[in-house]
Amino acid sequence: AAATGAAPPRPAGPALAVERSIFRAYDIRGVVGQTLSADVARLIGRAVGALMMERGLRGIAVGRDGRLSSPEMARALIDGLRMSGVDVTDVGMVPTPVAYFAAHHLRLGSAIAVTGSHNPPDYNGFKIVVDGETLSGGAIADLYARIVEGRMPVAERRGDLDTVDIGEAYIERIASDIQIERRLRVVVDAGSGVAGELGPRLLEAIGADVETLYCEVDGSFPFHHPDPSDPHNLEDLVQAVQRAGADLGLAFDGDGDRLGVVTREGRMVYPDRLLMLFAADVLERNPGACIIYDVKCSGHLAGYVLRHGGSPLMWKTGHSLIKAKMKETEAELAGEMSGHFFFKERWYGFDDGLYAAARLLEILATRPEEPEEVFAGLPDALSTPELKVEMQEGEPHAFIEAFVQNARFEGARVSTIDGLRADWPDGWGLVRASNTTPVLVLRFEADSEEALARVQQAFRTAMLALRSDLSLPF
């Protein structure tokens, strides 16, 4: 069929077996050997290729993370893209943001990162950028429809394949803009993820002293899960920072697009407080700029941005949704509670944990105080990490729909852009459905223990009124 140029008359066998559930809100993600296989990856490549050819786009960069299944998934994906006539530049095993960078640097405009992100080792997936747009929602659903309906013509001319090592260009681009004013000593924990090789090299290139922890890439993640938003995954990093007498600990997630930070005293600096620091810095050079943050972020963030002359905007959680909103509003900076940071100022607007780490060190190195003191100067409150309630597939969104209809929070300002967030003068609570796993995600923050207990009790009462069988972690 590859040589004939004719579109298949109907979906091939594997197309009929493609699971709808892997086409998620922000990307495509599934369990290898169950919902994801090389055949499925090839079909996804063909679907993306068909979309590109319709838009007159010919070139795409493909990178992959360090998961055990990623080489096979990438090979099949590339085969599918080339079947559609797309020319592929394989940038090899790189963090997701480096694949995004390749799309800019090589003037391709499009990229796919083969990655399971921070999911368990048996997961894998695809983060897709076509002509500068990160596919989400309807665009991802359309890929599924293309596969099921067989709308994936095989091109007469098979696409070319090129291999490029992009890592050095990425480091040079950042190091040419960022050189820190004084040497800071940092420990980097990559959680055995793909950022383990480039992350330390980048930070050394900008002038930091770097000690590594779990930076050998190992797709079985033998030491801890590569998710820096969970405080338990940072325990080894805290000990390593204290042993080394380092200024700071930096943790990356499995594909390097998120950043976690711990201080010498062992405190986790939540991403919404890091965003305050980044916002103040960006606003010095860009007064009035729009700063976007997701619904899980601190109630103190909007006021902090306003006091520094910026325009705060709360938006839905999800890397692709945030990027779309940044384009729409021409925001200079955005951040999520999960540790995604998006710099438009001096960078390209995509989420990049490695670049965010470099910008953080740049800011801290200009300050005479110790990093611990810099963080202590930021507004703080009592807050919980993300709390999760596990459910069956499909249940969380149905629960949230009913919750938004039925829950009443006296005296609170309620937002329903993503789940339900209720803000009182002294605290707030949020419950939303995760778009990556079948769980409800909750977070609470307040100015006192008493207020925190009151906010949590209000949510507990409202949630149990809807489903009395829920086991709530608060």
Side-chain angles (χ1 to χ4, degrees):
T4 67
R10 60 190 179 82
L16 302 175
V18 175
E19 275 273 349
R20 174 72 185 86
S21 65
I22 69 174
F23 293 79
R24 299 174 182 245
Y26 326 132
D27 48 38
I28 298 172
R29 213 176 290 185
V31 179
V32 177
Q34 293 178 30
T35 54
L36 202 55
S37 65
D39 286 339
V40 172
R42 188 173 291 103
L43 288 164
I44 290 165
R46 288 180 60 192
V48 174
L51 170 67
M52 289 178 64
M53 296 306 271
E54 281 175 17
R55 294 192 190 177
L57 307 168
R58 286 301 294 265
I60 192 166
V62 173
R64 57 181 165 82
D65 68 12
R67 286 167 184 265
L68 304 178
S69 61
S70 290
E72 183 191 17
M73 292 296 139
R75 273 195 303 274
L77 175 83
I78 288 168
D79 186 43
L81 288 162
R82 295 177 68 201
M83 284 172 73
S84 298
V86 173
D87 297 332
V88 178
T89 301
D90 182 359
V91 295
M93 188 172 76
V94 294
T96 291
V98 179
Y100 297 156
F101 169 79
H104 291 274
H105 185 72
L106 302 172
R107 294 183 171 80
L108 297 167
S110 302
I112 300 178
V114 177
T115 177
S117 189
H118 60 280
N119 282 74
D122 53 345
Y123 275 76
N124 217 322
F126 310 90
K127 293 179 178 178
I128 305 166
V129 179
V130 174
D131 201 18
E133 177 205 349
T134 301
L135 300 195
S136 64
I140 287 179
D142 179 59
L143 294 179
Y144 174 72
R146 279 177 186 276
I147 291 170
V148 169
E149 294 161 18
R151 289 187 284 117
M152 303 175 296
V154 174
E156 289 182 30
R157 171 198 162 277
R158 185 174 171 83
D160 294 334
L161 177 61
D162 191 19
T163 306
V164 172
D165 182 350
I166 200 79
E168 205 51 51
Y170 173 81
I171 289 173
E172 278 175 21
R173 166 68 178 80
I174 298 170
S176 67
D177 181 47
I178 299 174
Q179 285 294 317
I180 61 178
E181 290 185 14
R182 64 185 172 97
R183 291 194 87 77
L184 291 169
R185 191 149 190 230
V186 298
V187 180
V188 171
D189 177 359
S192 309
V194 72
E197 197 258 330
L198 268 185
R201 274 172 57 199
L202 169 64
L203 299 179
E204 283 169 354
I206 67 165
D209 288 329
V210 181
E211 189 169 305
T212 59
L213 179 70
Y214 309 146
C215 282
E216 299 77 28
V217 180
D218 183 339
S220 65
F221 309 127
F223 302 106
H224 65 75
H225 200 52
D227 180 359
S229 65
D230 182 343
H232 296 301
N233 295 328
L234 300 173
E235 288 167 2
D236 289 357
L237 178 59
V238 167
Q239 289 177 11
V241 168
Q242 291 171 341
R243 268 199 315 272
D247 295 295
L248 209 59
L250 303 171
F252 300 119
D253 73 331
D255 68 332
D257 60 8
R258 294 195 291 133
L259 172 68
V261 176
V262 297
T263 66
R264 186 185 290 172
E265 272 67 32
R267 292 189 186 88
M268 179 181 178
V269 185
Y270 282 122
D272 51 2
R273 296 181 73 227
L274 292 175
L275 187 59
M276 293 178 190
L277 207 55
F278 291 143
D281 177 60
V282 167
L283 288 166
E284 274 180 29
R285 293 177 296 276
N286 303 271
C290 178
I291 310 291
I292 297 175
Y293 58 98
D294 79 323
V295 292
K296 294 186 282 190
C297 285
S298 169
H300 292 290
L301 185 52
Y304 189 85
V305 169
L306 286 167
R307 283 196 301 281
H308 284 80
S311 172
L313 176 66
M314 185 164 76
W315 194 239
K316 300 171 184 178
T317 292
H319 67 93
S320 46
L321 308 180
I322 294 273
K323 277 178 271 201
K325 197 66 176 173
M326 283 184 83
K327 269 194 171 174
E328 181 193 317
T329 59
E330 298 186 338
E332 292 291 349
L333 173 71
E336 289 187 275
M337 191 59 205
S338 56
H340 288 271
F341 297 101
F342 313 74
F343 288 87
K344 184 74 176 73
E345 192 226 28
R346 296 161 56 194
W347 198 234
Y348 300 100
F350 55 73
D351 40 337
D352 188 340
L354 285 69
Y355 180 75
R359 287 287 287 258
L360 176 63
L361 296 191
E362 180 187 46
I363 293 167
L364 294 175
T366 62
R367 306 280 285 265
E369 318 98 296
E370 291 295 309
E372 190 85 33
E373 295 170 71
V374 175
F375 296 129
L378 297 168
D380 203 2
L382 293 167
S383 63
T384 66
E386 289 186 16
L387 305 170
K388 293 174 181 172
V389 179
E390 292 190 9
M391 290 186 152
Q392 296 299 310
E393 196 72 57
E395 284 186 346
H397 286 90
F399 178 88
I400 291 297
E401 217 171 285
F403 192 71
V404 166
Q405 294 296 320
N406 293 290
R408 296 292 173 267
F409 293 102
E410 205 63 47
R413 190 177 73 252
V414 171
S415 165
T416 56
I417 56 168
D418 184 1
L420 187 149
R421 174 167 164 155
D423 280 77
W424 287 269
D426 58 352
W428 59 272
L430 166 79
V431 59
R432 59 178 290 276
S434 166
N435 282 309
T436 53
T437 46
V439 297
L440 293 175
V441 178
L442 297 105
R443 189 170 187 237
F444 302 98
E445 180 186 87
D447 296 335
S448 66
E449 293 279 7
E450 184 185 53
L452 189 66
R454 193 192 74 244
V455 171
Q456 288 183 323
Q457 184 55 50
F459 270 78
R460 184 184 292 114
T461 301
M463 291 175 75
L464 293 176
L466 198 58
R467 267 197 49 183
S468 57
D469 64 325
L470 287 180
S471 173
L472 301 178
F474 61 93

